[in-house]
Amino acid sequence: MKNQNDVYKLSNGVGVPCIGFGTWQTPEGDVAVSSVEHAIKAGYRHIDTAQVYGNEEGVGKGIRIGIIDEGLTREDIFVTTKIWNDKHSYDLCKSSFDESLRKLGLDYVDMLLIHWPNPAAFRDRWEEANAETWRAMEELYESGKVRSIGISNFRQHHIEALLKTAKIKPMVNQIRLCPGATQDELVAYCKEQGMILEAYSPLGTGQIFDVPEMKKLADKYGKSIAQICVRFSLQMGFLPLPKSVHADRIKENLDVFDFELEAGDVKLIADLKGCVGYESDPDTRPF
């Protein structure tokens, strides 16, 4: 990837910009609006939100303002949202998606994901619930309201179950991928199935800024620790979704195309096992 406009090609040929702007924990209202505005002004063309984030209205407003201010068109911005855990049925998926479109103020989204594979409310029938939800998403895709469909936080057994009934394979799996937590077996399986791996929380947590090895690498390359994390994600073949609400950091997190990590440093970062904790188990999460 040479710049932020480079794309990963999904299995259906749709191009998705290689870095996305994450909005998890971004408050609804002025903060959501301004952060997305700043992101588009900085050069992001890929915006990621979700029903459960509670900020689809602000994100949508920020997208519309950013498009106008930067002289862009709707087609220039790749927008993702996600079906939340209490909407895992055919009808609920359809109705909640319509609500998401209304909140976003858009006619379509570029990507729609199932957010979690095994919600607490459907734990005794999660496989059936996912199949129903996916069928609704396939119809939304075929209708043109969604340009691509995928999953988030799915492990191999969840994917295998979904593929029993799916007519269309998931095009992405958005999972937690960051220094020391690279989920190698799951990544390999997803790639075999033709999926792009989107990396949420690519900076891990605030703990990453206290890791001595990361401080040394930041000094070595003359970059911030956050920039090292984003560059690492790209060189691992992931699609990172860094998040910030501060204009300077939003811009900084995208400024990662003028350097390249040495192969040994990529391995060093990947081997920092547990430095920012590990991914949670979707089969036991209490939501």
Side-chain angles (χ1 to χ4, degrees), residues 173-200:
N173 192 6
Q174 185 180 125
I175 59 178
R176 185 176 185 268
L177 295 166
C178 52
T182 52
Q183 302 201 59
D184 297 339
E185 291 184 6
L186 177 57
V187 165
Y189 172 76
C190 289
K191 288 182 176 179
E192 288 173 4
Q193 298 298 322
M195 298 180 215
I196 298 296
L197 279 302
E198 292 191 330
Y200 73 74

Side-chain angles (χ1 to χ4, degrees), residues 13-85:
V14 169
V16 50
C18 64
I19 294 183
F21 180 68
T23 61
W24 179 49
Q25 295 183 327
T26 298
E28 177 61 292
D30 292 343
V31 175
V33 175
S34 63
S35 63
V36 172
E37 282 185 71
H38 288 311
I40 292 174
K41 182 177 182 180
Y44 291 86
R45 297 295 180 262
H46 177 180
I47 310 296
D48 182 275
T49 186
Q51 293 172 348
V52 74
Y53 297 172
N55 59 19
E56 287 176 312
E57 289 188 17
V59 167
K61 184 176 180 180
I63 289 169
R64 295 192 299 276
I65 294 172
I67 285 172
I68 293 170
D69 288 350
E70 296 303 307
L72 304 172
T73 67
R74 166 66 184 93
E75 290 71 28
D76 292 320
I77 307 296
F78 192 100
V79 182
T80 298
T81 194
K82 310 178 191 77
I83 301 296
W84 184 237
N85 291 356

Side-chain angles (χ1 to χ4, degrees), residues 153 155 173-188 197-205 207-208 211 214 229 232-233 236 238 240 266-280:
N153 297 296
R155 294 187 171 177
N173 192 6
Q174 185 180 125
I175 59 178
R176 185 176 185 268
L177 295 166
C178 52
T182 52
Q183 302 201 59
D184 297 339
E185 291 184 6
L186 177 57
V187 165
L197 279 302
E198 292 191 330
Y200 73 74
S201 298
L203 311 185
T205 65
Q207 295 170 280
I208 195 65
V211 176
M214 295 300 292
C229 290
F232 163 75
S233 191
M236 289 289 289
F238 307 149
V266 173
K267 184 177 186 303
L268 184 156
I269 295 170
D271 288 343
L272 293 172
K273 302 304 182 187
C275 69
V276 292
Y278 293 101
E279 62 281 354
S280 57

